[in-house]
Amino acid sequence: MHCLLLFVVPFLLYIQTFSFDYSYHDDDTIVLYNAKSLHDFDMKKIFLTDAWMMNKQIELYRPWQSFTYAIDYIFTGSSAKGYHVHNVIIYCISILLFYFFLLSLNIGEQNSFLLSLIYSVHFLLAHVVSWLPARGDLYLFAFSISCMLFFRKYLRTKKIIFVLLSSLFYFLALLSKESALVLLPILYAVAFLFWKIEWKKPGNYFLLIPSTMLTLLYFWMRLQSISASQNIFSIEGLIYNLRVIPEEVCKFFIPAFFSVMPAYSTTVTSIGVGLIILLCSLLFVFRKTINRNLVLAGGILFLVPLLPSLIYTPSFTGFAYDYLDHRMFFPGIGILLIAYSISILIIRKILKIF
């Protein structure tokens, strides 16, 4: 019943997007402009071009995203409906995977269900479902969670097939979006905190062998597809983009200040800083009873996936935007875990009073 509800509820919520057209912001460039390549299923152009399926025009590399558009084109051609249906289905599947991931953190079946349900209808995630070019973020989430769940299965069974499957989904996450490069440190951090991994056993690091080989393959493919001369990662970019952290914290808790193309706001930054101070204060107050592993995992899951986008300064947009909310689909689960860790203690305090 939990699985059924976790699929049906977000599906019904976002079924309205089936009638949406193209936004004519990247989706027309990717789908309509490349209709012939999608129709011909040109694998070389799909996997060895940039995210717009052009020859080294932008610095983004998202071949799995292009591949899924080609699949959509087979069934629906240039009709936007099929692409929106695809986004919604992958989103619902991602929520189910998130539920199983939460179960692996030992917070209980009911709590895992409730948190997954809340996340499935969270207002901050509207962009990731309704904007077609956010397909990469949808698959980044689904493949990253799958990678971690298969690695946990390997730790429990020691069967090589599961470490190979974990490596495969790591590679698919890379092909979905560049920020998957930080997935392995996140995976091992979660394994250390919750899955009782024994650091001294060499077998627990077997995942690094196929993953390293696949990472090298990924970089080779990427070098064939985008310009290597573009300097898009910098300390200056990190300093400029640090405001993403308080602004996204603000918008995670407060359903306001949304924009299709967000720009930094003193108001949003200030509210976000205030909320971060409040969260840190509550963590200090409950420091003796709070689930420290869950809080630490939440911090890692929030900040580490954001790091690639924080040091990234897009060269092709100029002043078009400072950050995009759809990037929060994977990092947002970190804030959710921290909020859950605090709120469960507050609820217990209130129940004791009454």
Side-chain angles (χ1 to χ4, degrees):
M1 184 58 68
H2 283 172
C3 292
L4 178 63
L5 288 173
L6 289 174
F7 189 92
V8 170
V9 170
F11 185 87
L12 292 177
L13 176 65
Y14 286 107
I15 199 170
Q16 60 184 308
T17 65
F18 294 179
S19 63
F20 289 5
D21 199 352
Y22 295 102
S23 64
Y24 291 89
H25 181 65
D26 291 357
D27 49 9
D28 57 324
T29 303
I30 296 170
V31 178
L32 300 179
Y33 181 83
N34 291 294
K36 187 179 187 305
S37 297
L38 295 174
H39 177 270
D40 296 340
F41 220 94
D42 187 340
M43 297 297 284
K44 183 176 180 180
K45 190 163 187 179
I46 288 172
F47 282 92
L48 294 177
T49 54
D50 60 35
W52 286 353
M53 295 181 68
M54 296 180 181
N55 185 27
K56 300 184 178 182
Q57 295 298 305
I58 61 172
E59 66 269 18
L60 303 178
Y61 180 58
R62 314 276 170 78
W64 184 261
Q65 177 173 280
S66 302
F67 178 75
T68 62
Y69 290 140
I71 296 293
D72 292 345
Y73 196 91
I74 292 175
F75 294 99
T76 63
S78 58
S79 171
K81 181 176 182 178
Y83 301 87
H84 285 294
V85 171
H86 190 143
N87 270 28
V88 172
I89 290 174
I90 296 304
Y91 179 75
C92 295
I93 292 173
S94 296
I95 295 300
L96 286 175
L97 290 169
F98 180 48
Y99 170 64
F100 291 117
F101 174 71
L102 289 176
L103 287 175
S104 75
L105 303 185
N106 302 316
I107 64 173
E109 186 175 347
Q110 298 298 328
N111 290 338
S112 297
F113 167 70
L114 183 59
L115 287 178
S116 301
L117 187 63
I118 291 171
Y119 204 60
S120 74
V121 298
H122 198 285
F123 44 83
L124 185 58
L125 305 181
H127 285 172
V128 78
V129 187
S130 57
W131 189 47
L132 294 179
R135 179 76 58 85
D137 291 88
L138 289 167
Y139 274 104
L140 170 67
F141 187 102
F143 290 149
S144 296
I145 297 295
S146 298
C147 170
M148 291 193 284
L149 289 176
F150 275 118
F151 182 67
R152 179 175 183 257
K153 191 73 172 177
Y154 165 71
L155 293 176
R156 299 176 71 180
T157 66
K158 300 302 179 182
K159 293 182 179 179
I160 298 300
I161 183 64
F162 293 119
V163 81
L164 294 178
L165 286 170
S166 182
S167 300
L168 172 63
F169 280 104
Y170 163 71
F171 183 58
L172 291 175
L174 278 177
L175 297 180
S176 300
K177 195 163 186 177
E178 296 86 345
S179 51
L181 283 168
V182 300
L183 179 56
L184 292 181
I186 294 172
L187 178 150
Y188 274 99
V190 172
F192 174 75
L193 292 170
F194 294 100
W195 300 337
K196 299 179 180 179
I197 187 172
E198 298 182 37
W199 291 99
K200 295 182 179 180
K201 288 191 175 182
N204 291 333
Y205 301 96
F206 181 69
L207 174 67
L208 299 178
I209 298 174
S211 296
T212 300
M213 296 171 63
L214 290 171
T215 302
L216 293 174
L217 174 61
Y218 164 79
F219 275 114
W220 178 84
M221 295 170 64
R222 196 172 192 274
L223 285 173
Q224 310 307 307
S225 309
I226 68 168
S227 174
S229 61
Q230 294 170 324
N231 183 21
I232 58 174
F233 300 105
S234 65
I235 297 298
E236 291 81 5
L238 173 63
I239 295 172
Y240 177 79
N241 288 319
L242 278 177
R243 291 178 67 177
V244 169
I245 296 173
E247 295 223 356
E248 292 293 19
V249 169
C250 170
K251 291 197 285 187
F252 187 89
F253 291 103
I254 302 175
F257 311 111
F258 291 101
S259 170
V260 173
M261 302 181 74
Y264 292 127
S265 160
T266 302
T267 300
V268 180
T269 302
S270 300
I271 294 174
V273 170
L275 287 170
I276 291 172
I277 293 173
L278 175 61
L279 290 173
C280 291
S281 300
L282 290 170
L283 290 174
F284 179 78
V285 169
F286 293 116
R287 63 190 182 279
K288 293 182 179 180
T289 54
I290 203 162
N291 187 332
R292 295 182 181 180
N293 285 358
L294 201 59
V295 171
L296 183 56
I300 292 170
L301 285 164
F302 173 46
L303 295 175
V304 177
L306 275 182
L307 182 60
S309 63
L310 292 180
I311 63 175
Y312 164 64
T313 305
S315 62
F316 62 92
T317 56
F319 61 88
Y321 62 80
D322 289 319
Y323 60 93
L324 294 174
D325 293 325
H326 65 81
R327 294 176 183 168
M328 278 296 292
F329 189 30
F330 189 47
I333 65 179
I335 304 179
L336 186 69
L337 292 179
I338 294 173
Y340 163 77
S341 302
I342 295 172
S343 61
I344 198 72
L345 293 178
I346 293 176
I347 292 171
R348 288 173 183 171
K349 287 282 187 181
I350 295 173
L351 291 176
K352 284 184 178 180
I353 293 173
F354 293 98

